[in-house]
Structures are given as C-alpha cells and as structure tokens.
Amino acid sequence: GAVVSQHPSWVICKSGTSVKIECRSLDFQATTMFWYRQFPKQSLMLMATSNEGSKATYEQGVEKDKFLINHASLTLSTLTVTSAHPEDSSFYICSAQEVWSNGNTIYFGEGSWLTVV
Amino acid sequence: RKEVEQDPGPFNVPEGATVAFNCTYSNSASQSFFWYRQDCRKEPKLLMSVYSSGNEDGRFTAQLNRASQYISLLIRDSKLSDSATYLCVVGHGGQNFVFGPGTRLSVLP
C-alpha cells in the first residue's frame, strides 16, 4: 500500500514553546490530508482536514490559532502546536488520501508522540 | 447517536476461535467502507476495504449490508497476533471519512 511518513516520532518540549510535526506522502500525491489526536485508550479524534493550497478545515472545538496547519505541496502537510501546554500531550497522527478512479483510501503516518513538560 | 458505531468490546477469545465484529453507520449516502487495525501505541493500518459483494482476504471476511447500514468483519482461526483494536471507517465520498470508536480484540493462548 501507499506510504505516509510522519516526523518526528517522539518529541518532548517545554510548556509555552511550539512544535512542528510533518506528514509526507512518499509515493503518491495527496491533495487532502487529515490530522488526528488520540488520547490513551480513546478513539481517534479528527482535528482538521488539510487541503493543498488552501486553508484547513477545523473540527468543532479545535482552535485553529493553536493548531496551525500548512499544506503547501501535494506531498507535505505540517501541524504546528503553538504555545504548547501539558494538556496538549497526546499521540498526533496524520493521514493522506489516495484517490483512485473507483474511490479513495486513506493511509496513516506512524504518529507522533508529543509530551509537553 | 454517533454516526458510526461498533460493538463495544473488548472481545477476549481463545486462539483458533472465530470472532465477528459489527459496525453500523447512520448516513445512508455513505459510499466507501473500510476496516482498519490499530495496535497499541501505533497508527491505524488498513486491513481491508469492504465491497458491496463482500470480500475475503485469507482468514478475514468483510461484508456490507447497505439496506441495514451495517458492516461486519469475520476473523477465522484467530491468532495471538490478531490482538488489536479494529476500526470501522465509513466514507461519504470526497474527503469525509468517519471513524468508529473501535472494538478491542484480545486473542488468548
């Protein structure tokens, strides 16, 4: 299947700093990527839909000024957690949509563990 | 009511057992259906797409019932390595994919 790479896998940052997470589709072009957050033993929560060349669409309750998303190319989307706080510590996962003539499939990055201390 | 619901689980089954998961969806306009598998502390991975005619991949069989708006996943001869959380995913076409909460499976020796 298609490959989506996410970086970094693990990051620890100090409270108040910003952290950038990258999501790359390695062998296909993705006009649409998705960003999720998952807390321990909970299901995936969609944060936002990232569209190449346009603004991201945020889910209700997700602060767009805190979670900055940039999708500047067909293979790269970035999520920046600004002014991070300990409650932002979570598993962040991206996915990219591969478009086929008979439908779409989404593939996930490996995820990024963020710990804010 | 959630848009995609799954058996709450967890399912604890012995090796070799057959286990079935169900998933229901509320949006009748849904067009694409998938089962993903998520291991603990890892990203979800596509297990199989679900087609209207039903499809099988080795020990895994997926079925779709559009009239009743449910999807099922059957695992035969379960292995220890099948232990994971199984996520039902429903697509509305375009960009809109909705994940179910997942059903956790533990296969016991």
Side-chain angles (χ1 to χ4, degrees), chain B:
Chain B
R1 182 188 172 196
K2 292 182 181 176
E3 190 168 344
V4 178
E5 298 192 74
Q6 294 186 238
D7 290 330
F11 284 57
N12 299 312
V13 303
E15 264 188 294
T18 296
V19 60
F21 303 135
N22 289 316
C23 168
T24 57
Y25 60 95
S26 60
N27 190 332
S28 59
S30 300
Q31 299 176 5
S32 52
F33 309 90
F34 309 89
W35 283 102
Y36 280 75
R37 167 200 170 123
Q38 185 176 24
D39 293 288
C40 188
R41 301 171 74 88
K42 298 276 192 176
E43 79 280 14
K45 292 188 177 176
L46 179 64
L47 181 64
M48 57 197 306
S49 302
V50 186
Y51 303 117
S52 296
S53 55
N55 47 302
E56 186 175 311
D57 183 2
R59 298 181 293 108
F60 299 84
T61 301
Q63 292 194 316
L64 167 64
N65 185 318
R66 285 189 185 271
S68 302
Q69 295 182 200
Y70 82 79
I71 309 144
S72 64
L73 176 67
L74 182 77
I75 305 176
R76 290 182 299 278
D77 188 24
S78 52
K79 314 288 185 191
L80 295 176
S81 56
D82 294 333
S83 297
T85 296
Y86 290 83
L87 301 168
C88 169
V89 180
V90 175
H92 300 161
Q95 307 172 1
N96 198 352
F97 292 89
V98 182
F99 281 76
T103 301
R104 190 153 55 90
L105 171 66
S106 292
V107 181
L108 308 173

Side-chain angles (χ1 to χ4, degrees), chain A:
Chain A
V3 179
V4 175
S5 176
Q6 196 172 331
H7 176 82
S9 300
W10 301 84
V11 58
I12 300 173
C13 71
K14 290 185 177 180
S15 188
T17 62
S18 295
V19 174
K20 180 186 283 189
I21 302 170
E22 294 185 347
C23 180
R24 294 180 186 273
S25 56
L26 298 184
D27 51 1
F28 66 100
Q29 293 183 329
T31 55
T32 306
M33 292 185 176
F34 305 90
W35 287 96
Y36 303 82
R37 183 166 54 182
Q38 187 174 34
F39 292 106
K41 297 187 178 182
Q42 294 189 21
S43 57
L44 288 168
M45 186 194 81
L46 178 65
M47 299 175 67
T49 301
S50 171
N51 301 297
E52 188 267 336
S54 64
K55 291 183 179 180
T57 304
Y58 289 82
E59 295 299 302
Q60 192 174 8
V62 178
E63 300 174 59
K64 62 180 181 181
D65 294 329
K66 180 171 180 60
F67 298 99
L68 300 179
I69 292 172
N70 184 277
H71 194 156
S73 79
L74 288 171
T75 58
L76 174 65
S77 175
T78 61
L79 168 69
T80 302
V81 183
T82 62
S83 187
H85 290 283
E87 57 265 30
D88 297 325
S89 299
S90 185
F91 187 46
Y92 291 86
I93 312 175
C94 73
S95 68
Q97 180 175 259
E98 185 175 28
V99 179
W100 298 86
S101 58
N102 59 350
N104 307 333
T105 302
I106 51 175
Y107 296 96
F108 287 85
E110 307 95 327
S112 300
W113 288 96
L114 170 63
T115 301
V116 184
V117 298

